[in-house]
């Protein structure tokens, strides 16, 4: 039996939290969904950052988890991509949320998957698995990113084809985006890959790097070049550790907000 969403009067705003309203819910499949909520006029974030969202517990205290903002920074609503964990303390309830329901939103977005943590470069590779795609959906729709890089490449690895969230939008090169110019979309590259099902691109991201398929659509070198390429990683902890080690072996240095580098990861949580 599904636990009902809590009444609005059980939510309490605080110095750290506002109470927002769900405006849209989209279920991609049995394991993945997107939700949108109202955005406070005072809420500002950098593309790629995350924030806490959640629901009250039975004892009245907020149960919060970190979620990357998937919407672009100019959007009037805030969008988040989530997995469905049937016995998860938060997602077991969050997956049943409906339009009009209340939800907690943290007031302080933060994170390291931001362009401020990267040195200037020519190509930006955003490598993701699963819901790790979320921050890159924000970054890929940010005009400032295209002012910084000649190519913006989003790579999304999933187990099954139906797990390719936002596939139609990404394959259209973000068609209909109100702020991206045509020349921006021409420099956007989408590389979806599937590991457990037949698809036009199959294999893990590391395999695509090693055999060169990751670079096929790029006009640049058909390999990673530390002097020119910048990389962001978001996904499972194992994925992040493996790719971080691979990049360091190739001569890349990790960056941070106070010391920009050639690649960045989100250290605060696993997407």
């Amino acid at each position: 039996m599904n636990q009902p969403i809590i009444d609005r009067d059980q939510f309490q705003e605080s110095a750290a939290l506002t109470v927002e309203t769900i405006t849209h819910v989209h279920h991609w499949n049995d394991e993945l969904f997107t939700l949108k909520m109202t955005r406070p006029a005072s809420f500002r974030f950098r593309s790629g950052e995350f924030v806490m969202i959640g629901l009250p517990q039975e004892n009245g205290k907020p149960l919060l988890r970190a979620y990357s903002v998937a919407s672009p920074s100019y959007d009037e609503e805030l969008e988040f991509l989530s997995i469905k964990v049937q016995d998860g303390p938060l997602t077991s309830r969050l997956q049943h949320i409906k339009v009009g329901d209340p939800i907690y939103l943290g007031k302080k977005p933060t994170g390291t998957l931001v362009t401020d943590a990267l040195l200037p470069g020519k190509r930006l590779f955003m490598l993701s698995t699963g819901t790790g795609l979320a921050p890159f959906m924000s970054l890929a729709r940010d005009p400032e990113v295209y002012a910084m890089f000649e190519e913006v490449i989003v790579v999304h690895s999933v187990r099954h084809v139906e797990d390719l969230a936002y596939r139609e939008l990404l394959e259209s090169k973000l068609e209909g985006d109100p702020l991206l110019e045509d020349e921006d979309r021409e420099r956007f590259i989408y590389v979806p890959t599937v590991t457990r099902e037949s698809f036009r691109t199959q294999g893990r991201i590391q395999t695509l790097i090693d055999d060169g398929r990751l670079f096929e659509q790029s006009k640049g070198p058909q390999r990673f070049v530390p002097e020119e390429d910048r990389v962001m990683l978001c996904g499972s902890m194992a994925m992040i550790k493996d790719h971080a080690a691979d990049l360091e072996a190739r001569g890349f240095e990790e960056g941070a907000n106070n010391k920009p580098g050639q690649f960045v990861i989100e250290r605060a949580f696993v997407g």
Side-chain angles (χ1 to χ4, degrees), residues 14-243:
S14 66
L17 299 170
T18 61
V19 178
E20 301 306 319
T21 301
I22 296 297
T23 59
H24 178 79
V25 180
H26 177 73
H27 294 272
W28 299 96
N29 54 35
D30 292 339
E31 299 180 351
L32 202 62
F33 71 105
T34 293
L35 60 86
K36 291 184 180 181
M37 68 180 70
T38 52
R39 175 180 180 173
S42 60
F43 189 88
R44 297 288 182 269
F45 71 98
R46 295 178 297 172
S47 299
E49 288 188 318
F50 68 88
V51 69
M52 307 302 287
I53 67 173
L55 299 169
Q57 302 178 81
E58 289 185 7
N59 62 9
K61 294 182 179 179
L63 174 62
L64 306 170
R65 293 290 184 269
Y67 276 80
S68 292
V69 183
S71 47
S73 58
Y74 56 81
D75 203 315
E76 294 181 355
E77 297 176 318
L78 295 173
E79 184 173 347
F80 300 91
L81 177 65
S82 179
I83 56 171
K84 303 176 185 179
V85 181
Q86 301 310 321
D87 57 352
L90 180 60
T91 60
S92 62
R93 297 161 61 203
L94 201 60
Q95 65 184 289
H96 302 296
I97 207 161
K98 300 286 194 300
V99 170
D101 284 336
I103 188 168
Y104 276 126
L105 171 70
K107 293 183 179 180
K108 291 188 176 181
T110 188
T112 50
L113 288 176
V114 292
T115 55
D116 290 345
L118 292 173
L119 294 167
K122 291 186 176 181
R123 298 188 294 189
L124 174 60
F125 289 87
M126 295 181 271
L127 311 183
S128 65
T129 57
T131 55
L133 175 67
F136 302 152
M137 289 304 301
S138 180
L139 283 153
R141 290 181 279 184
D142 186 338
E144 292 184 9
V145 173
Y146 295 86
M148 299 174 63
F149 297 95
E150 296 174 8
E151 290 184 340
V152 175
I153 303 165
V154 170
V155 184
H156 190 204
S157 175
V158 297
R159 294 176 179 177
H160 303 286
V161 177
E162 68 174 9
D163 298 328
L164 289 171
Y166 301 101
R167 177 185 170 189
E168 186 174 337
L169 175 62
L170 293 167
E171 286 183 337
S172 76
K173 290 184 175 285
L174 307 171
E175 184 179 348
D177 189 280
L179 294 191
L180 292 187
E181 303 289 343
D182 289 343
E183 53 264 35
D184 296 334
R185 289 195 291 271
E186 284 304 311
R187 291 185 286 120
F188 172 77
I189 296 172
Y190 173 48
V191 183
T193 185
V194 177
T195 60
R196 296 188 182 180
E197 204 174 352
S198 179
F199 190 64
R200 64 174 183 267
T201 305
Q202 291 179 256
R204 296 181 181 276
I205 295 175
Q206 189 62 54
T207 303
L208 272 58
I209 294 171
D210 294 339
D211 66 19
R213 284 182 291 161
L214 191 83
F215 311 95
E216 285 179 344
Q217 298 180 60
S218 173
K219 296 178 180 177
Q222 299 297 289
R223 57 184 173 81
F224 278 138
V225 180
E227 295 77 19
E228 299 179 357
D229 294 332
R230 302 296 172 254
V231 185
M232 292 179 162
L233 304 174
C234 194
S236 69
M237 186 58 72
M239 174 269 196
I240 290 173
K241 288 182 177 179
D242 289 347
H243 283 287

